[in-house]
Amino acid sequence: MSSVKSPVIKSLLRGHSLFLRTQQRRWAQVHDVRFLATHHDPSHVLEKYRSKLAQKAKQEGHGSIESLKEAYKDKINDLRQKASTAATPEPSSPSPTTAKATIHHPPPPPPRPQSAPAKSGDGTGIKPLSSYLDVEKVLTLPPKEIEALWRLRHANNPNSICACIPLETYKRIVSAARQHPQFILPLPRQTEVPSTENSESEDASKKTTTATGADIHFLQWAFHPPASRPNSAPPSAQTANTHTSTIIFTHLGAYKLHGSFAEPHTTITHHLDLADEKGLVLMHGQVMPDRGVSTSEASWLVSCVQRFYDFGGQANGRKSELLQSFTKGDTENFKVEDLVEESEKL
């Protein structure tokens, strides 16, 4: 997770409005390009110019091309030595006995071991969809049964979140996510506060009322290579399975203190293995125990992602304005109070 340092984080922790300014990083890549010097086969050159060499030999009174070569032998060797460089040395012609002695037949390659089932995609630590379902069998089922099977697969895990997202909805969300990879979301909290009602009873000071507040959580999108590809699909085929996306949620206070070392409390992964054939994106989330967020609260945060990122769908009007203002650093139009209010609107 990239580190974001901004004074406005401190202002939010003091109870004021917040905005996080994203930092741009430019990465320079150096590509090592090397050129390979090669030498042409002399016999190929001889065949190409045989007719001209025969004409030249006839003009100079030689009976054959070999006789012409013998006459110009010293001049040819002199020109070769002058053209030779350290980078492209003139190869020496080995003797027949030396050539025979240097021919080695490589041993047959050892049998390739059978590859083990993939546990993570391209070293990212992301489990492929095949670690949860038999993808080949699932492809034979209708979308409704796939959704039921996906929910049943995670039903026994109390810290798991899952969903089936229509491909068109996911495309809208991920398009906005690439432009706005970071955001904050509120999590409503019910708190007990002392009652302010006037009463002559000595128990009045002990009375409390319930007030609604909100904890602020920081989210960040990331995009990785696809964890797996269908074996039958050629590399050049047009496919929606071009990536695997993740979202991590972190307490804003923890992120303020620890930056990129802050431990997330919820991780979300989107699998696109079935997007082409079934038009579905399977979402799986894992809530870390003892991080201060329950599974139902994490589900609320995940539902808010669609409310603010689904441009053209749920994220319309003020919701999309808040997301865009957050990315631009427009503190005049981004208000945490409006964020809390819009998050509660369906």
Side-chain angles (χ1 to χ4, degrees):
M1 186 193 312
S2 61
S3 178
V4 179
K5 301 294 185 183
S6 175
V8 292
I9 295 180
K10 298 180 181 179
S11 66
L12 179 66
L13 295 177
R14 291 194 301 265
H16 301 291
S17 62
L18 156 79
F19 193 82
L20 298 176
R21 301 180 184 271
T22 57
Q23 296 179 344
Q24 293 183 346
R25 295 183 177 180
R26 299 181 179 178
W27 302 89
Q29 293 183 341
V30 180
H31 298 274
D32 185 11
V33 181
R34 301 184 181 185
F35 295 90
L36 177 63
T38 59
H39 300 276
H40 295 287
D41 186 2
S43 61
H44 176 72
V45 178
L46 180 62
E47 291 297 330
K48 184 176 181 180
Y49 297 99
R50 178 174 292 277
S51 60
K52 293 184 178 181
L53 290 173
Q55 183 180 359
K56 179 71 173 178
K58 185 177 181 180
Q59 290 176 355
E60 296 190 6
H62 297 282
S64 63
I65 296 177
E66 296 299 329
S67 177
L68 177 66
K69 290 172 59 179
E70 188 66 26
Y72 283 87
K73 181 178 180 180
D74 294 338
K75 186 175 181 179
I76 292 173
N77 289 338
D78 183 57
L79 291 174
R80 284 180 175 176
Q81 293 298 327
K82 291 180 180 179
S84 176
T85 64
T88 59
E90 182 63 26
S92 58
S93 300
S95 62
T97 56
T98 305
K100 292 180 181 179
T102 56
I103 296 177
H104 298 283
H105 296 283
R112 297 178 60 183
Q114 296 182 353
S115 58
K119 294 184 178 179
S120 62
D122 298 328
T124 60
I126 300 174
K127 291 184 178 181
L129 185 62
S130 57
S131 64
Y132 301 100
L133 298 174
D134 188 331
V135 178
E136 296 299 328
K137 291 183 179 180
V138 167
L139 286 173
T140 63
L141 302 176
K144 289 293 184 181
E145 293 186 16
I146 294 175
E147 182 174 358
L149 185 63
W150 184 243
R151 295 182 183 279
L152 184 62
R153 173 63 178 79
H154 301 284
N156 294 328
N157 186 348
N159 297 318
S160 180
I161 303 173
C162 67
C164 292
I165 306 173
L167 179 59
E168 293 304 317
T169 302
Y170 175 79
K171 285 182 177 180
R172 295 195 302 266
I173 294 175
V174 81
S175 176
R178 291 186 183 277
Q179 301 178 47
H180 313 283
Q182 297 174 341
F183 195 47
I184 58 172
L185 288 174
L187 180 62
R189 297 283 193 184
Q190 298 291 333
T191 57
E192 299 290 335
V193 296
S195 175
T196 59
E197 295 180 358
N198 294 327
S199 175
E200 298 180 355
S201 173
E202 59 181 17
D203 295 332
S205 60
K206 299 180 180 179
K207 292 183 178 180
T208 59
T209 58
T210 302
T212 301
D215 291 340
I216 306 299
H217 297 259
F218 177 71
L219 72 86
Q220 184 170 11
W221 286 80
F223 298 92
H224 316 276
S228 62
R229 286 183 180 273
N231 296 328
S232 58
S236 60
Q238 294 293 328
T239 175
N241 187 20
T242 59
H243 65 277
T244 299
S245 66
T246 58
I247 313 174
I248 56 175
F249 292 89
T250 310
H251 292 282
L252 183 61
Y255 189 77
K256 162 62 175 60
L257 292 174
H258 305 290
S260 60
F261 296 99
E263 295 183 347
H265 58 73
T266 304
T267 58
I268 303 296
T269 305
H270 298 96
H271 302 278
L272 281 76
D273 301 63
L274 309 182
D276 295 321
E277 292 84 353
K278 301 299 178 180
L280 290 177
V281 176
L282 301 187
M283 184 273 285
H284 171 249
Q286 186 68 29
V287 182
M288 306 302 170
D290 303 325
R291 298 282 174 85
V293 175
S294 66
T295 304
S296 60
E297 291 171 336
S299 299
W300 164 267
L301 292 173
V302 173
S303 68
C304 285
V305 171
Q306 182 175 357
R307 298 178 193 178
F308 286 90
Y309 277 88
D310 186 9
F311 288 6
Q314 295 187 27
N316 50 31
R318 183 59 177 150
K319 291 184 177 64
S320 59
E321 292 177 1
L322 288 169
L323 180 60
Q324 294 171 5
S325 298
F326 182 89
T327 302
K328 294 177 182 178
D330 186 358
T331 55
E332 293 296 325
N333 292 320
F334 183 86
K335 304 297 181 183
V336 175
E337 295 80 4
D338 294 345
L339 180 71
V340 175
E341 181 180 354
E342 290 296 328
S343 65
E344 297 176 347
K345 294 180 180 180
L346 296 177

